[in-house]
Amino acid sequence: MVWQQIYDPFGNMAISTLLAAVPVVVMLAALGFFHIKAHIAAALGLGAALLVSVFGYHMPAVMAGKAALFGGFTGLLPIGWIVLNIIFLQQLCEQNGSFKVLQASLSGITNDRRLQLLLIAFCFGAFFEGAAGFGTPVAVTAGILIGLGFSPLAASGLSLIANTAPVAFGALGTPVITLAKVHGYDLMEVTAMIGRQLPFFSLLVPFWLIWAFAGRKAMWDIWPAILVTGLSFAIPQYLVSNFIGPELVDIIAALVSMASLVLFLRVWQPKTVWTSASLKGREAEGASGQAESTLRYSRAELVRAWTPWIILTVFVFIWGLPPVKEYFNSVFAPKFPMGGLHNQIMRVPPVVPKAVPEAAVYVFNLLSATGTGILLSAIAGALFMHYSLGAIVRTFFRTLWLVRYSLLTIVLMLALGTLTRYSGTDTTLGLAFANTGVLYPFFGTLMGWLGVAMTGSDTASNVLFGGMQKVAAQQLGLAPNLMGAANSSGGVMGKMIDAQSIVVASTATRWVNHEGDILRFVFFHSFALAALVGVLVMLQAYVWPFTSMVTR
């Protein structure tokens, strides 16, 4: 039986929109206001989504259950698989003491917490976003920051804020490539357009990051270093996206930014060293203090401490290369169409130009999954650190037990996000934004923000709303590439509040059951930055229209 999505089941968009928002409101309220544990909040949201889908949107109950099951599988692989193996590597490094040496070496570059934050959360995180995406940068940087002595809220929240500007070109350009492929955008044109929006925020976000951490005065005290970090990222981001393509934007920009900051710190240091590792005004959070001095460690010890993370970087980069993924998928990547769901749901106008079936094929791409590359890098690092095979296996299963609730939460949240997609409730929310007329460039940008906040992925948001952006832009006389790019650029700011990323951050910092605290901290930053992207897109649409035209 083929079921057509219904976007206004009550014949009144206001009522339908309020109903469609119920599952998200239930989950976020449970998490952020009622301090309910994340896996229980996710289960409540999923339960609400099932009720709304079946009784409000008339989706067949069996189909709704299969959509949730399909999303749960997606939560385990690739997302949960990444989280598990990153924490596994972290556990290995902590157990033999090499993580302390790593912390000390980072402190050797600079003892100033603000500068450590720029180097690790922004530069290092951007590299991992460009190479792998899908939660990897937050898992890595939050884990390193908590090891350096940052408080759990600071390590979690600031890693999420930093992981914004690079997201549109994450995982070797996957979000942009998917947007162009699925919805018929010209790849180079929409890439160039994103490259004319995000560099402004690549410059702004490092300032915003330090302001959120230490306050306005402390931010201005190190403005030269922040400016070097932002400019050295933004300029390569613009040049690579406009003249080369989407695949290497983040990797090149991150490497240039990291090198520029390190070199700059050789000739410049702040007058006052900021030693607090807690968020300003929250010193009682319990940060663990300053890392040890590098003076007590030999060069050989420093090399041993860094080698597992260098191995991780190499493996993640290799696993992100399209030819490598294609090869592994040709060896082993069985596909399992979800019976009773695959091609049984029709997306219909005005969301798409003509009715199209929704695919539901689970690809068990275990070999090509980024998490597998991380697992192999962790094993290689463990052997380098002289772990026995028995110790490696025992540590892996201890890690699995450690993150069990986090994995359950990710499964439930992906089940919720997938169900809202197949039932059409998220599309109802998108249509509410699309009906804003002359203000559409602003609200269309917020549509992308909403899409990432709900799905946890800029790629998924582009799949979900990319077609709607194109149709709405054509009807309003706007450049389709402008709004396609706005969906992706606005979406990056939703990354810090999506439940999946918050769970990854809380797991990496061992601050499980505090996901609501993280959400409350980052929500303002997420919405404010998304609104600023919307203002920029409005200016591109009506004040500087030449910036929305791509000439190649």
Side-chain angles (χ1 to χ4, degrees), residues 276-307:
S276 172
S278 295
L279 293 166
K280 187 176 182 182
R282 305 186 188 218
E283 282 74 12
E285 287 171 339
S288 58
Q290 187 72 12
E292 301 172 72
S293 168
T294 57
L295 296 177
R296 57 175 291 186
Y297 298 111
S298 66
R299 182 184 296 272
E301 288 174 311
L302 293 173
V303 168
R304 281 197 296 270
W306 271 101
T307 296

Side-chain angles (χ1 to χ4, degrees), residues 329-464:
N329 286 337
S330 70
V331 175
F332 180 81
K335 298 180 179 180
F336 302 97
M338 182 66 72
L341 184 66
H342 176 56
N343 289 338
Q344 298 300 299
I345 295 176
M346 300 294 292
R347 288 175 69 83
V348 297
V351 179
V352 287
K354 60 180 181 179
V356 293
E358 281 277 20
V361 180
Y362 182 69
V363 182
F364 189 63
N365 55 341
L366 184 62
L367 292 182
S368 66
T370 300
T372 301
I374 296 172
L375 173 63
L376 294 177
S377 75
I379 293 172
L383 294 174
F384 177 84
M385 291 183 284
H386 305 295
Y387 275 90
S388 67
L389 289 177
I392 293 172
V393 172
R394 286 193 296 272
T395 302
F396 180 83
F397 282 102
R398 276 200 301 269
T399 304
L400 182 61
W401 180 254
L402 178 70
V403 302
R404 64 194 186 281
Y405 286 119
S406 298
L407 295 179
L408 174 61
T409 303
I410 291 170
V411 167
L412 291 170
M413 287 178 173
L414 265 292
L416 167 60
T418 304
L419 176 57
T420 59
R421 172 188 166 191
Y422 282 102
S423 66
T425 56
D426 51 9
T427 306
T428 299
L429 296 174
L431 286 171
F433 286 115
N435 291 327
T436 52
V438 70
L439 295 177
Y440 179 69
F442 178 83
F443 286 101
T445 303
L446 291 186
M447 189 194 304
W449 173 77
L450 175 70
V452 175
M454 293 178 64
T455 65
S457 164
D458 202 44
T459 302
S461 177
N462 286 344
V463 170
L464 183 63

Side-chain angles (χ1 to χ4, degrees), residues 214-236:
R216 181 177 57 82
K217 184 180 183 301
M219 176 194 73
W220 285 120
D221 286 345
I222 63 163
W223 72 263
I226 302 175
L227 186 63
V228 167
T229 304
L231 273 179
S232 61
F233 190 94
I235 293 173

Side-chain angles (χ1 to χ4, degrees), residues 53-291:
S53 300
V54 173
F55 296 105
Y57 279 69
H58 313 297
M59 185 182 192
V62 173
M63 193 174 283
K66 289 183 175 180
L69 184 63
F70 181 61
F73 284 135
T74 306
L76 281 177
L77 184 75
I79 309 302
W81 190 230
I82 290 173
V83 174
L84 170 63
N85 291 311
I86 279 288
I87 303 302
F88 174 45
L89 173 60
Q90 191 184 78
Q91 288 282 295
L92 290 167
C93 292
E94 284 185 357
Q95 284 177 186
N96 79 337
S98 67
F99 205 76
K100 288 185 177 180
V101 183
L102 175 72
Q103 297 160 21
S105 67
L106 287 167
S107 297
I109 297 173
T110 174
N111 287 322
D112 193 292
R113 298 301 196 170
R114 299 163 297 181
L115 299 174
Q116 291 176 354
L117 199 56
L118 288 175
L119 185 63
I120 296 165
F122 186 78
C123 300
F124 201 45
F127 176 84
F128 276 98
E129 180 62 46
F134 299 103
T136 308
V138 170
V140 173
T141 59
I144 292 176
L145 290 174
I146 197 74
L148 279 170
F150 281 79
S151 69
L153 182 58
S156 301
L158 297 171
S159 291
L160 289 166
I161 293 173
N163 186 42
T164 48
V167 167
F169 296 110
L172 294 174
T174 297
V176 190
I177 294 169
T178 303
L179 174 67
K181 182 178 179 180
V182 173
H183 297 296
Y185 289 90
D186 181 279
L187 177 59
M188 289 306 300
E189 290 191 1
V190 76
T191 297
M193 185 58 60
I194 296 172
R196 297 179 182 190
Q197 295 169 347
L198 283 184
F200 292 101
F201 295 90
S202 297
L203 182 59
L204 174 63
V205 165
F207 283 94
W208 196 289
L209 178 69
I210 304 306
W211 166 68
F213 170 55
R216 181 177 57 82
K217 184 180 183 301
M219 176 194 73
W220 285 120
D221 286 345
I222 63 163
W223 72 263
I226 302 175
L227 186 63
V228 167
T229 304
L231 273 179
S232 61
F233 190 94
I235 293 173
Q237 185 181 48
Y238 167 77
L239 293 174
V240 177
S241 61
N242 274 259
F243 301 105
I244 298 177
E247 291 86 354
L248 296 176
V249 174
D250 283 346
I251 290 176
I252 292 174
L255 291 175
V256 171
S257 183
M258 200 180 311
S260 299
L261 178 58
V262 171
L263 291 173
F264 181 71
L265 292 179
R266 290 187 175 183
V267 299
W268 180 92
Q269 287 290 331
K271 293 180 180 179
T272 304
V273 176
W274 189 274
T275 58
S276 172
S278 295
L279 293 166
K280 187 176 182 182
R282 305 186 188 218
E283 282 74 12
E285 287 171 339
S288 58
Q290 187 72 12

